[in-house]
Amino acid sequence: MERLGVAESDFRETFVRSSGPGGQKVNKTSSCVQLVHLPTGLSVKCQRERSQAMNRFLARRLLLDRIEKLQKGVVEAERDRVEKIRRQKRKRSKRAKEKMLEGKRRQSEKKGLRARIPRDGD
């Protein structure tokens, strides 16, 4: 939590009755944990285990994983954007420039061949 800069006060924790198989026991205990990270709005529901304490731990772990992915995704996207701009602005090598110009010359020749052929009567 410290590494991600997340404080315990950033969470809103609620306990809900679990759903699914389990009969009367499920209907009596609130072992499902719903955790919301207030700054990002991410929410997680966990009802894997029967104990509420274990579900609290698992919910925190799931939520921290999601926050980490969100933060890494933002950082990586910014890095990719900067790298793309750097590639676009960098000067071409002589070989690449010659290759590009040769392609343009070939295209120009092709277009020149499409010109209308003059006839005797024209």
Side-chain angles (χ1 to χ4, degrees):
M1 285 176 67
E2 291 173 13
R3 186 171 46 88
L4 294 174
V6 178
E8 190 67 35
S9 60
D10 293 344
F11 295 137
R12 185 178 72 223
E13 188 174 45
T14 53
F15 302 102
V16 189
R17 294 220 169 105
S18 299
S19 62
Q24 293 174 350
K25 177 70 174 162
V26 168
N27 298 333
K28 287 187 233 172
T29 60
S30 299
S31 60
C32 180
V33 178
Q34 184 176 16
L35 210 60
V36 178
H37 186 240
L38 299 174
T40 59
L42 292 173
S43 67
V44 168
K45 230 179 189 184
C46 185
Q47 62 180 33
R48 279 191 209 156
E49 303 295 325
R50 288 175 70 180
S51 84
Q52 190 182 68
M54 193 64 185
N55 283 334
R56 287 181 74 194
F57 171 76
L58 292 172
R60 275 178 176 62
R61 220 169 66 184
L62 283 170
L63 192 57
L64 289 172
D65 286 345
R66 285 194 185 169
I67 292 169
E68 186 177 20
K69 283 180 186 174
L70 182 72
Q71 287 179 352
K72 274 190 176 181
V74 169
V75 170
E76 287 176 15
E78 180 64 22
R79 189 180 314 125
D80 290 345
R81 189 182 67 79
V82 169
E83 182 61 32
K84 183 179 179 183
I85 291 170
R86 186 178 296 131
R87 278 195 312 268
Q88 287 173 346
K89 288 186 175 182
R90 103 178 142 211
K91 190 176 174 183
R92 284 194 176 100
S93 67
K94 278 191 172 184
R95 190 172 189 174
K97 191 172 182 179
E98 287 171 7
K99 191 175 179 182
M100 185 255 315
L101 289 173
E102 180 59 35
K104 285 188 168 190
R105 269 189 231 104
R106 256 193 246 116
Q107 186 66 19
S108 174
E109 289 171 9
K110 276 189 216 173
K111 283 191 161 193
L113 293 173
R114 295 180 197 159
R116 194 167 179 182
I117 303 170
R119 294 188 182 163
D120 294 338
D122 289 342

